[in-house]
Structure formats: C-alpha cells, structure tokens
Amino acid sequence: MTINLSEQYLDILPEIKTAIDQGKPIVALESTIISHGMPYPKNVETAKEVEQMVRDNGAIPATIAILGGRLKVGLNDQELEYLGKSGLKVTKASRRDIPFIVSRGEDGATTVAATMIISELAGISLFATGGIGGVHRDGENSMDVSADLNELSNTNVSVICAGIKSILDIGRTLEYLETMGVPVVGYQTDHVPAFYARSSGYGVDYRANSANEIAASLKAKYDMGLNGGALITNPVPEKFALDPNDIEKTINEAIQEMNKRGITGKDTTPFLLARIAEQTKGESLDTNIKLVLNNAKLAAEIAAELCKL
Ligand code: PSU
Ligand code: MN
C-alpha cells in the first residue's frame, strides 16, 4: 500500500468523497473566476448556478479553493459567499503559491493551474471553467505566459473552456500548447473559439462531435500514461456571442489602459475582465456567465461518458 501524504492537506465534502470512491462522474470548478473573474454578488449566484448545471447533467460539482490553509474540494454556501464577497482581497493562487498559503493557514482562490493540481490530488480528472490563462499579448517580450499552460502538460486533468480570449496572444498560446504536448479539441467545431466570440480563426487539433468521443480520447490518453490534460474548447452559444469586431476594439482599449496604469503580472487578467465588463455595460459579463454554464454542461456529459468506459 502506498501512503498518500497529500491526503492530510485535503478536505473533501462527504458527497464528493463517496462519488470519488464509487467512480461516479464529478466535475471540478475553480474559484479565481469567483473572486477575481466576476463582481459580487453575480459571482456567487453564478457559482451556484454552475454547480446546479453540473448536477442537472448527471455529475457532482466540486468547487475548489484553499481556506485556512486547507485544500477544499467542495465548498458550502458560507464558504462560497465568503470567497465571492472577499473578491480581490483573497490571494489569487497558482502552483507556486499553494505551499505558502497552506503552511501559513491562509486563503487562496485557485486558478486553472492550482485547481488542476488539487483536483488530481483528490482523484478528479475533469474541470470546467470559462477561459484559461495563456501567452499574453507582447508575451514574447514580457514573458508573461500563464502557469496554466505548463499545468496542462503535466497534470492529469482535462479542462473544458470556451477557448482562448483575445486579451491573450491566441496564436502563441496555441504554439506553446503544441510544444507542451497539450491537445486542443473543438467540440462540434473546427475552430478554436475566442471566448466571447465563437471563432478565433485558428484551427483546432481535433474536432469531436460528441461527449462520448471526447471521453474515449481522454481514456486512451490516461490509460497510456501520457501525462497532462487536454484542452476541450466549447464555443459560446450563438445567441450569447458578442460581435468579434466590437469586442476586439474594447479589448484593445482595455489593454492600452492597463499599460498606462502599469498593471502587470497576475493582476492583468482580473483588470482586463473587469474593465471589459465595465466598458460593455455588463454585456461581456452576461456572455461570460452563459459560456461557463455551457461548459459545465458539456463537462458533466463527458464525466458521465468517462465513467461508462
Ligand atoms: N480567464 C477568464 N476568467 C478568469 C480567468 C481566466 O475568462 O477568471 C482566471 C483563471 O483562474 C485563470 C487565471 O487560471 O485567470 C489566469 O491568470 P494568469 O493569466 O495570471 O495566469
Ligand atoms: Mn501571467
């Protein structure tokens, strides 16, 4: 028997623990999107709706965060409310931050990278969110490349998202993923979606038309010990998509404002999301919420299919 030292750091809600032990479908959800990605109280409302969407589609939701130094797999209502209300005051936690937040008994909202790590420790292999981090525009000079990309190449958790937002350099992000051996899958599309818009113009590596097809490729990957996750991209539903030219203009203005204010590093993504929401009078936030719900549904379907294989 191997002793799993990581277990001493984990608090898994009983419902989720039972589901893990019984091999039932589970979908992990991140918490940076709650604290840093959306304003209160919409963030808390959305987090609950996303959990319900996972349930309605046959899987158990596991929202992940670090609270009081404990790796939480599943949050109760008070914990969700606390994270949502605290917003930017909570530390945005990626891979590098986890040991320090844990050893100091502090709180952390987990990014895609950190959520993947904690999911894997708990034994969960699928995770739904809105968008991932990537190579930032001008990243060839700033070297601002999200730790999410490296995580996808190492950690055995696949991520369902709405593609890559054009606050990032989409082309370079895809090149990086290719180098790191991360497959980019398009759900019922040949094109990598661009978050608010249904297409970035870049092609996906593989198109899959059903949840079952995606589950089969993930099973093959994990069975063969090909470490790392796949990036499963799911375009925002047509009726909620924003006009690509309009949103591009707003993003460019937001990036200019960010540079003017000297905002860099981990503060860039939260700043840009908030600025874009402000400039679109909440339209981008509505789209963001709709696409996360859409991803939660697909993730639950894939999780259910994986359990049948
Ligand atoms: N993209 C979104 N909403 C978000 C994020 C990205 O549309 O909330 C968050 C995720 O938690 C992601 C993180 O892991 O931002 C990436 O931050 P950075 O670029 O600093 O790595
Ligand atoms: Mn960064």
Side-chain angles (χ1 to χ4, degrees), residues 198 235-241 290-291 294:
R198 285 176 57 84
V236 59
E238 191 89 60
K239 58 177 183 277
F240 304 121
K290 293 297 194 305
L291 64 82
N294 191 46

Side-chain angles (χ1 to χ4, degrees), residues 2 5 19 27 44 54 68 86 92 99 105 147 167 169 180 209 211 213 218 258 277 286:
T2 54
L5 285 175
V27 173
V44 177
V54 170
S86 305
K92 175 177 159 185
I167 60 172
D169 182 330
M180 303 303 279
N209 288 326
E213 215 182 306
L218 297 182
M258 177 181 83
D286 287 340

